[in-house]
Amino acid sequence: MELEFHNREKEIEEIMRILKTPPNLITFVYGPINSGKSSLMLKIARILPKEYVVFYISLRHIYVSKAEDFLRILFEVRNKKMSIKTIVKELIETYVPKEIITPLGRFPIPKNIFQEIFKERQIENVFVYLETLLMEVARRKKPILVLDELQKIGDIKIDGPLIYELFNFFVGLTKESHLAHVFVITSDSLFLDRVFNEAMLHGRCRYLLIDDFDYNTTVEFLKKYSFTKDEIELTWNYFGGKPVYLVEVVNNKHRLKEFCEEQLKLRFSQILDTVYEIEENKELFNGVIELFKDISENEVIKYTKIDDPLKFCARKNILFVEPVNRIVKPQSHLDLLAIRKILQELNP
């Protein structure tokens, strides 16, 4: 069920427009959790013309605690000595877009060069190798680099923070040499705010929001599965246009009301447990409750700065912070319902 791509023509068209122009800016693809960002980028990678080669590096389900972890994810090690030209020739001739989530999506590297990089632990050597490889690829194809959940390396340091070294490298690939398109996917509100306010990236990035579906899109989709008006309204009232929930709604159509109530009960319990974690920190606890009240009444609010209560709720994926428009909203409509239920629980 390709729900993530239902009525995503606007977003696909925008990304294709970006790819048809010379690389110039880093593109941050952002949005609430489970809004279909990764699926959309994978879909685009699979339908691109043969002139493109996509390197898709996903940190989503991988534990990364040090630079060596990141390097192992970044590269596909070849056991024999090979020149870069030979590697690129093999890469281009064997590249299959539908397999980009396999090791073909990573950067091939001869074992001897990989061992040398590990031995010296010089991140500059990594970037020199990658740039050389991409320059060779660019002679025959158009390289695209996609990094999914890059914020997971935010605290790793090699001399200085690794993330800043990467940002500098991305700027070099796009703004300076126009060598490769770079897309960074994230649902981490605090990471996005950090990027948005990073001076070194001003004028060097664009931001593409992949949001949940609006009401009309949700209705259009559910009608394809013969949902009645009442079933559509029930679904919207519980889940809004969150793609991941809409898939489950279709799968549980035969027990829709029961499924909706189960999910609300589960999310209520999860958020309540999270709030009780900070009960002894009265200032933070009271700040979170006041934030919940504001969200409960208005659903979407403006913010001037990210204070501790907002930071806590964003880190726990209860609220989504959107720095481009400086707004805060629940990660899903289900979260909003759970927040309202928690306020009733704490203030009967």
Side-chain angles (χ1 to χ4, degrees), residues 88-102:
V88 169
K89 182 175 183 294
E90 179 183 309
L91 171 70
I92 290 174
E93 290 178 353
T94 61
Y95 178 75
V96 180
K98 69 179 181 179
E99 295 179 357
I100 61 170
I101 54 175
T102 72

PDB file of all heavy atoms in Angstrom, residues 88-102:
ATOM      1  N   VAL A  88      34.347   3.078  -9.535  1.00  0.00           N
ATOM      2  CA  VAL A  88      33.246   3.847 -10.114  1.00  0.00           C
ATOM      3  C   VAL A  88      32.663   3.127 -11.322  1.00  0.00           C
ATOM      4  O   VAL A  88      31.443   3.079 -11.506  1.00  0.00           O
ATOM      5  CB  VAL A  88      33.719   5.264 -10.495  1.00  0.00           C
ATOM      6  CG1 VAL A  88      32.659   5.987 -11.334  1.00  0.00           C
ATOM      7  CG2 VAL A  88      34.039   6.064  -9.239  1.00  0.00           C
ATOM      8  N   LYS A  89      33.531   2.549 -12.135  1.00  0.00           N
ATOM      9  CA  LYS A  89      33.053   1.810 -13.305  1.00  0.00           C
ATOM     10  C   LYS A  89      32.153   0.647 -12.877  1.00  0.00           C
ATOM     11  O   LYS A  89      31.063   0.449 -13.420  1.00  0.00           O
ATOM     12  CB  LYS A  89      34.239   1.273 -14.111  1.00  0.00           C
ATOM     13  CG  LYS A  89      33.855   0.525 -15.388  1.00  0.00           C
ATOM     14  CD  LYS A  89      35.126   0.144 -16.163  1.00  0.00           C
ATOM     15  CE  LYS A  89      34.770  -0.540 -17.486  1.00  0.00           C
ATOM     16  NZ  LYS A  89      34.106  -1.838 -17.303  1.00  0.00           N
ATOM     17  N   GLU A  90      32.602  -0.087 -11.859  1.00  0.00           N
ATOM     18  CA  GLU A  90      31.804  -1.202 -11.355  1.00  0.00           C
ATOM     19  C   GLU A  90      30.503  -0.714 -10.729  1.00  0.00           C
ATOM     20  O   GLU A  90      29.432  -1.298 -10.933  1.00  0.00           O
ATOM     21  CB  GLU A  90      32.623  -1.974 -10.315  1.00  0.00           C
ATOM     22  CG  GLU A  90      31.872  -3.150  -9.692  1.00  0.00           C
ATOM     23  CD  GLU A  90      32.693  -3.836  -8.616  1.00  0.00           C
ATOM     24  OE1 GLU A  90      33.865  -4.182  -8.889  1.00  0.00           O
ATOM     25  OE2 GLU A  90      32.161  -4.000  -7.504  1.00  0.00           O
ATOM     26  N   LEU A  91      30.585   0.380  -9.975  1.00  0.00           N
ATOM     27  CA  LEU A  91      29.401   0.939  -9.325  1.00  0.00           C
ATOM     28  C   LEU A  91      28.345   1.333 -10.350  1.00  0.00           C
ATOM     29  O   LEU A  91      27.170   0.974 -10.232  1.00  0.00           O
ATOM     30  CB  LEU A  91      29.808   2.158  -8.499  1.00  0.00           C
ATOM     31  CG  LEU A  91      28.676   3.004  -7.921  1.00  0.00           C
ATOM     32  CD1 LEU A  91      27.965   2.250  -6.814  1.00  0.00           C
ATOM     33  CD2 LEU A  91      29.200   4.337  -7.413  1.00  0.00           C
ATOM     34  N   ILE A  92      28.742   2.055 -11.355  1.00  0.00           N
ATOM     35  CA  ILE A  92      27.798   2.555 -12.355  1.00  0.00           C
ATOM     36  C   ILE A  92      27.194   1.414 -13.163  1.00  0.00           C
ATOM     37  O   ILE A  92      26.013   1.410 -13.485  1.00  0.00           O
ATOM     38  CB  ILE A  92      28.495   3.588 -13.267  1.00  0.00           C
ATOM     39  CG1 ILE A  92      28.780   4.871 -12.459  1.00  0.00           C
ATOM     40  CG2 ILE A  92      27.644   3.904 -14.490  1.00  0.00           C
ATOM     41  CD1 ILE A  92      29.584   5.897 -13.198  1.00  0.00           C
ATOM     42  N   GLU A  93      28.018   0.434 -13.475  1.00  0.00           N
ATOM     43  CA  GLU A  93      27.540  -0.673 -14.312  1.00  0.00           C
ATOM     44  C   GLU A  93      26.600  -1.606 -13.544  1.00  0.00           C
ATOM     45  O   GLU A  93      25.764  -2.273 -14.146  1.00  0.00           O
ATOM     46  CB  GLU A  93      28.731  -1.457 -14.867  1.00  0.00           C
ATOM     47  CG  GLU A  93      29.508  -0.680 -15.917  1.00  0.00           C
ATOM     48  CD  GLU A  93      30.724  -1.444 -16.423  1.00  0.00           C
ATOM     49  OE1 GLU A  93      31.018  -2.518 -15.852  1.00  0.00           O
ATOM     50  OE2 GLU A  93      31.375  -0.963 -17.365  1.00  0.00           O
ATOM     51  N   THR A  94      26.728  -1.656 -12.215  1.00  0.00           N
ATOM     52  CA  THR A  94      25.896  -2.578 -11.422  1.00  0.00           C
ATOM     53  C   THR A  94      24.804  -1.865 -10.641  1.00  0.00           C
ATOM     54  O   THR A  94      23.995  -2.502  -9.977  1.00  0.00           O
ATOM     55  CB  THR A  94      26.758  -3.374 -10.413  1.00  0.00           C
ATOM     56  OG1 THR A  94      27.399  -2.463  -9.512  1.00  0.00           O
ATOM     57  CG2 THR A  94      27.811  -4.190 -11.137  1.00  0.00           C
ATOM     58  N   TYR A  95      24.752  -0.549 -10.741  1.00  0.00           N
ATOM     59  CA  TYR A  95      23.793   0.230  -9.945  1.00  0.00           C
ATOM     60  C   TYR A  95      22.365  -0.072 -10.363  1.00  0.00           C
ATOM     61  O   TYR A  95      22.008  -0.001 -11.541  1.00  0.00           O
ATOM     62  CB  TYR A  95      24.069   1.723 -10.101  1.00  0.00           C
ATOM     63  CG  TYR A  95      23.092   2.603  -9.362  1.00  0.00           C
ATOM     64  CD1 TYR A  95      23.174   2.739  -7.981  1.00  0.00           C
ATOM     65  CD2 TYR A  95      22.080   3.271 -10.031  1.00  0.00           C
ATOM     66  CE1 TYR A  95      22.284   3.535  -7.284  1.00  0.00           C
ATOM     67  CE2 TYR A  95      21.179   4.072  -9.350  1.00  0.00           C
ATOM     68  CZ  TYR A  95      21.289   4.202  -7.977  1.00  0.00           C
ATOM     69  OH  TYR A  95      20.397   4.990  -7.306  1.00  0.00           O
ATOM     70  N   VAL A  96      21.556  -0.435  -9.369  1.00  0.00           N
ATOM     71  CA  VAL A  96      20.138  -0.696  -9.600  1.00  0.00           C
ATOM     72  C   VAL A  96      19.357   0.146  -8.598  1.00  0.00           C
ATOM     73  O   VAL A  96      19.456  -0.085  -7.394  1.00  0.00           O
ATOM     74  CB  VAL A  96      19.797  -2.191  -9.394  1.00  0.00           C
ATOM     75  CG1 VAL A  96      18.308  -2.428  -9.653  1.00  0.00           C
ATOM     76  CG2 VAL A  96      20.655  -3.058 -10.301  1.00  0.00           C
ATOM     77  N   PRO A  97      18.569   1.126  -9.055  1.00  0.00           N
ATOM     78  CA  PRO A  97      17.871   2.031  -8.126  1.00  0.00           C
ATOM     79  C   PRO A  97      17.040   1.333  -7.072  1.00  0.00           C
ATOM     80  O   PRO A  97      17.014   1.755  -5.926  1.00  0.00           O
ATOM     81  CB  PRO A  97      16.994   2.865  -9.065  1.00  0.00           C
ATOM     82  CG  PRO A  97      17.727   2.863 -10.362  1.00  0.00           C
ATOM     83  CD  PRO A  97      18.358   1.502 -10.447  1.00  0.00           C
ATOM     84  N   LYS A  98      16.371   0.235  -7.430  1.00  0.00           N
ATOM     85  CA  LYS A  98      15.490  -0.421  -6.458  1.00  0.00           C
ATOM     86  C   LYS A  98      16.265  -1.066  -5.322  1.00  0.00           C
ATOM     87  O   LYS A  98      15.689  -1.466  -4.320  1.00  0.00           O
ATOM     88  CB  LYS A  98      14.623  -1.471  -7.150  1.00  0.00           C
ATOM     89  CG  LYS A  98      15.394  -2.692  -7.644  1.00  0.00           C
ATOM     90  CD  LYS A  98      14.458  -3.703  -8.290  1.00  0.00           C
ATOM     91  CE  LYS A  98      15.202  -4.944  -8.759  1.00  0.00           C
ATOM     92  NZ  LYS A  98      14.304  -5.942  -9.371  1.00  0.00           N
ATOM     93  N   GLU A  99      17.596  -1.140  -5.449  1.00  0.00           N
ATOM     94  CA  GLU A  99      18.402  -1.784  -4.419  1.00  0.00           C
ATOM     95  C   GLU A  99      19.188  -0.778  -3.580  1.00  0.00           C
ATOM     96  O   GLU A  99      20.138  -1.142  -2.906  1.00  0.00           O
ATOM     97  CB  GLU A  99      19.364  -2.785  -5.058  1.00  0.00           C
ATOM     98  CG  GLU A  99      18.655  -3.953  -5.728  1.00  0.00           C
ATOM     99  CD  GLU A  99      19.627  -4.926  -6.377  1.00  0.00           C
ATOM    100  OE1 GLU A  99      20.839  -4.649  -6.357  1.00  0.00           O
ATOM    101  OE2 GLU A  99      19.164  -5.942  -6.903  1.00  0.00           O
ATOM    102  N   ILE A 100      18.776   0.485  -3.605  1.00  0.00           N
ATOM    103  CA  ILE A 100      19.580   1.480  -2.906  1.00  0.00           C
ATOM    104  C   ILE A 100      19.572   1.311  -1.395  1.00  0.00           C
ATOM    105  O   ILE A 100      20.412   1.888  -0.715  1.00  0.00           O
ATOM    106  CB  ILE A 100      19.146   2.915  -3.251  1.00  0.00           C
ATOM    107  CG1 ILE A 100      17.694   3.127  -2.843  1.00  0.00           C
ATOM    108  CG2 ILE A 100      19.368   3.242  -4.691  1.00  0.00           C
ATOM    109  CD1 ILE A 100      17.268   4.562  -2.916  1.00  0.00           C
ATOM    110  N   ILE A 101      18.633   0.537  -0.863  1.00  0.00           N
ATOM    111  CA  ILE A 101      18.654   0.329   0.586  1.00  0.00           C
ATOM    112  C   ILE A 101      19.568  -0.836   0.972  1.00  0.00           C
ATOM    113  O   ILE A 101      19.688  -1.174   2.119  1.00  0.00           O
ATOM    114  CB  ILE A 101      17.238   0.078   1.137  1.00  0.00           C
ATOM    115  CG1 ILE A 101      16.552  -1.069   0.404  1.00  0.00           C
ATOM    116  CG2 ILE A 101      16.390   1.330   1.057  1.00  0.00           C
ATOM    117  CD1 ILE A 101      15.201  -1.445   0.991  1.00  0.00           C
ATOM    118  N   THR A 102      20.223  -1.450   0.011  1.00  0.00           N
ATOM    119  CA  THR A 102      21.225  -2.476   0.258  1.00  0.00           C
ATOM    120  C   THR A 102      22.591  -1.795   0.268  1.00  0.00           C
ATOM    121  O   THR A 102      22.691  -0.583   0.081  1.00  0.00           O
ATOM    122  CB  THR A 102      21.186  -3.539  -0.856  1.00  0.00           C
ATOM    123  OG1 THR A 102      21.718  -2.973  -2.057  1.00  0.00           O
ATOM    124  CG2 THR A 102      19.762  -4.001  -1.109  1.00  0.00           C
TER     125      THR A 102
END
